[in-house]
Amino acid sequence: MTSLAAKRQRAREIFSGARAVLSPMAGVTDRVFRELCRSFGADVTYCEFVSASGVLHGNPTTFDLMELGEDEHPVGIQLFGADPGLLAEAARAAEKVGPDLIDLNFGCPVKKVVKRNGGSALLADLPLMREIVEEVVQAVDLPVTAKIRIGWTYKQPNYMEVTQLLEEAGVCAITVHGRSRDQFFTGQANWQAIAEVVEAARIPVIGNGDVFSADDWLRMKEETGCETVMIARGAIGNPFIFEEIAARSEGRPYEPPDVARIVEVMVEHLDREIALKGAHTGMMRMRKHFSHYLKGRPKVAELRKRIYQETDRDAVVAILREYAHEQTRRAPSEEEA
Ligand SMILES: Cc1cc2nc3c(=O)[nH]c(=O)nc-3n(C[C@H](O)[C@H](O)[C@H](O)COP(=O)(O)O)c2cc1C
């Protein structure tokens, strides 16, 4: 059994020096998207959350969500649930898949999860949270990390108490999304709260919430002192954010991608999905990413409609390239007009 000191040392190695971390995101951070973000400079990635019961029942969809790439390290598998024994057993099973970290979800605000006392509901049941963490930490050799919101309610945040509890119970790093459960995604993430956790914690703290550019990334690091920054929405349809951050961290100038480059990355994304999942599933999985890549650009709804009618990879690629060509041709004449 690996000692807590050794697990904490390993977590330190993973997070110190990591420029940015890709957040766990349900329906988004599948293996292909994680590998793509890594190729752009994400230093650590997480699979989307999986339920402890799904893992224990050997649910194929759950195991599909935990599928890891051969060179995909360091990567974390995130579990949610509310039963300490089941979570411990699920963590043991997840460990066998080969991740570097087991993460516990104490932040998910959605009803389906909290009504079964999982996710952020545990912020309102600290004795149960403690039991869960202690059992999971005991069960696995990997470092266990936790991802929290700042409290169940905005008016009564309890992140300091939670931080202390998590540390005492054996968590090796903590991600703080600076919102309460009742805020869902509204308002602004409270970075001051993250700074307070950084000040108090003796384990690495990963800051999370509202980072959409390298400027935000730098500001979060400076304002909170966090070890590294976790990015969710800012990476959807935008793996480029990680290269922008890499450039900033090395003091290099950065040129944002033009539409032609975005389309080539979309094609790469599509081809990776197809290579992994076959033509039909690969195409379906890529669909939800398409419009995010081209958000805010002209005629995207029309483009999406055309793409959704196609089942053939080459036809989709031809439509995308034609779009890029058209947009590139248009740009100067629009400026001139
Ligand atoms: C589509 C979507 C799916 C998410 N799924 C998860 C998840 O599975 N586990 C988790 O801990 N957080 C999940 N989150 C929350 C994010 O990881 C992150 O904490 C939150 O979006 C704040 O970060 P951001 O401002 O960079 O988006 C999800 C967020 C989004 C937008």
Side-chain angles (χ1 to χ4, degrees):
M1 183 46 74
T2 311
S3 71
L4 182 58
K7 292 178 190 175
R8 286 200 162 145
Q9 176 56 28
R10 177 71 191 118
R12 249 177 223 297
E13 284 162 14
I14 289 173
F15 291 110
S16 67
R19 293 160 299 190
V21 177
L22 175 67
S23 242
M25 274 186 284
V28 180
T29 55
D30 63 10
R31 172 177 163 185
V32 168
F33 190 65
R34 294 193 310 270
E35 287 183 330
L36 198 62
C37 288
R38 188 176 296 276
S39 74
F40 278 85
D43 289 313
V44 185
T45 57
Y46 280 92
C47 303
E48 72 176 78
F49 69 173
V50 291
S51 76
S53 59
V55 175
L56 289 178
H57 289 125
N59 184 331
T61 314
T62 306
F63 276 81
D64 190 43
L65 298 175
M66 297 193 289
E67 179 184 359
L68 306 179
E70 286 103 52
D71 304 319
E72 202 195 346
H73 297 284
V75 62
I77 289 182
Q78 189 191 57
L79 298 170
F80 75 95
D83 181 308
L86 290 187
L87 271 161
E89 232 183 290
R92 256 194 299 268
E95 186 174 40
K96 293 202 183 101
V97 174
D100 304 86
L101 302 159
I102 297 290
D103 191 61
L104 293 171
N105 181 311
F106 297 135
C108 180
V110 308
K111 262 214 185 103
K112 208 171 84 182
V113 171
V114 299
K115 82 168 191 263
R116 288 187 278 160
N117 300 328
S120 60
L122 289 152
L123 296 169
D125 188 347
L126 300 193
L128 183 56
M129 179 190 277
R130 183 184 290 274
E131 235 184 284
I132 288 172
V133 174
E134 285 175 351
E135 289 213 22
V136 172
V137 167
Q138 282 283 322
V140 293
D141 282 321
L142 290 175
V144 174
T145 58
K147 183 162 175 284
I148 66 165
R149 285 187 173 232
I150 59 175
W152 178 252
T153 64
Y154 181 72
K155 291 215 170 110
Q156 286 181 307
N158 59 352
Y159 52 90
M160 295 306 274
E161 205 183 341
V162 170
T163 299
Q164 195 185 340
L165 180 160
L166 293 174
E167 240 186 64
E168 285 169 5
V171 156
C172 297
I174 172 171
T175 302
V176 183
H177 174 197
R179 284 189 176 80
S180 55
R181 189 270 171 170
D182 61 0
Q183 281 184 293
F184 287 86
F185 282 91
T186 61
Q188 257 189 338
N190 180 348
W191 290 6
Q192 178 56 37
I194 300 172
E196 287 170 38
V197 172
V198 170
E199 186 68 30
R202 284 159 303 158
I203 53 177
V205 175
I206 300 129
N208 173 237
D210 299 349
V211 171
F212 293 98
S213 65
D215 284 346
D216 295 340
W217 168 82
L218 191 59
R219 217 163 36 79
M220 178 181 266
K221 280 178 73 85
E222 286 175 355
E223 287 181 19
T224 69
C226 61
E227 188 75 52
T228 184
V229 171
M230 183 181 266
I231 298 170
R233 290 167 298 167
I236 300 178
N238 185 28
F240 308 100
I241 193 169
F242 295 106
E243 68 175 10
E244 186 193 354
I245 288 170
R248 180 67 59 91
S249 75
E250 290 157 21
R252 285 185 282 114
Y254 179 70
E255 187 69 43
D258 59 12
V259 67
R261 181 154 179 251
I262 293 171
V263 159
E264 286 318 306
V265 170
M266 291 171 76
V267 171
E268 185 187 342
H269 189 156
L270 174 65
D271 284 342
R272 285 187 189 214
E273 291 282 10
I274 290 174
L276 196 64
K277 297 289 163 196
H280 177 72
T281 309
M283 196 86 83
M284 290 301 138
R285 282 166 74 126
M286 179 57 191
R287 272 192 182 176
K288 52 184 174 231
H289 295 271
F290 272 123
S291 32
H292 291 293
Y293 273 105
L294 296 169
K295 202 164 83 188
R297 291 182 186 271
K299 297 186 176 172
V300 174
E302 201 181 297
L303 177 75
R304 190 174 48 224
K305 222 168 165 188
R306 285 183 66 198
I307 284 175
Y308 280 18
Q309 281 163 4
E310 294 295 342
T311 49
D312 177 55
R313 177 262 176 209
D314 291 349
V316 169
V317 170
I319 294 169
L320 281 172
R321 288 191 173 140
E322 182 193 311
Y323 174 81
H325 185 67
E326 202 180 279
Q327 293 304 316
T328 315
R329 247 185 331 126
R330 272 171 95 102
S333 63
E334 272 175 3
E335 262 169 37
E336 282 158 24

